[in-house]
Amino acid sequence: MVKTNSPLRRMVYAGMFGALTAIGSLIVIPMQPVPMTLQTLFTSLAGILLGGVTGAMSQIVYVLLGVMGLPVFAGGKAGLGTLLGPTGGYLIGFIVGAYIIGKLVESRKKPGLAWFGFSLVVGNLVIYTLGVAQLSLVAHLSVTKALLVGVVPFLLGDLIKLVTAALIALKLRNTIKIGKDPEDYDQGL
């Protein structure tokens, strides 16, 4: 019998979801000061499908690729300056958000669509919180202004991405065998 949670398998999936997040960053709807991308879709999927630790590791891989100079951040940006700039809090939020999403999913013996949705909303709130905090500090914006430019324009798009992530996770959770044992998942809500 193949051990489904082997360290090698976890590393491969972490690398794969880090790469998927990088690809998601290339699909950009330009907005200022924070562009809309598909990064949060893959961050969400990483948390649900890989669990807290491996999901967070996938996002650490993604952020490290960008800090090392590969153009994987939104709009093809790269470097430590992006991480320390106005949008860097969102990048850190991807790591923490994936961890929290994964831990919430792991906390249930048989999580279904409703629990996936709850976990995704909580994870996204963490991403927003860290993103808005850094946006406010670095760009010298009030928290209200940072919310207006760094959250409000993205709410509808993020809602669509969260629903999409939950539905994709329902289909893939028995295929990607990281985190919980797939037999622990129920098929309903």
Side-chain angles (χ1 to χ4, degrees), residues 137-158:
L137 290 171
V138 173
H140 306 292
L141 300 173
S142 69
V143 173
T144 303
K145 180 69 174 173
L147 283 167
L148 289 173
V149 299
V151 174
V152 172
F154 306 99
L155 289 174
L156 179 59
D158 282 349

Side-chain angles (χ1 to χ4, degrees), residues 109-130:
K109 182 169 174 66
K110 295 186 177 198
L113 184 60
W115 191 253
F116 283 173
F118 171 76
S119 301
L120 291 169
V121 167
V122 171
N124 247 11
L125 288 173
V126 168
I127 294 169
Y128 284 150
T129 301
L130 294 172

Side-chain angles (χ1 to χ4, degrees), residues 2 10 28 31-32 44 49 55 72 75 83 91 101 121 123 133 142-143 152 158 160 162 171 177:
V2 176
R10 287 181 177 272
V28 177
M31 299 174 77
Q32 291 299 325
S44 298
L49 296 172
V72 297
L83 186 62
L91 297 170
I101 291 166
V121 167
S142 69
V143 173
V152 172
D158 282 349
I160 292 168
L162 295 181
K171 294 292 184 187
K177 297 176 180 167

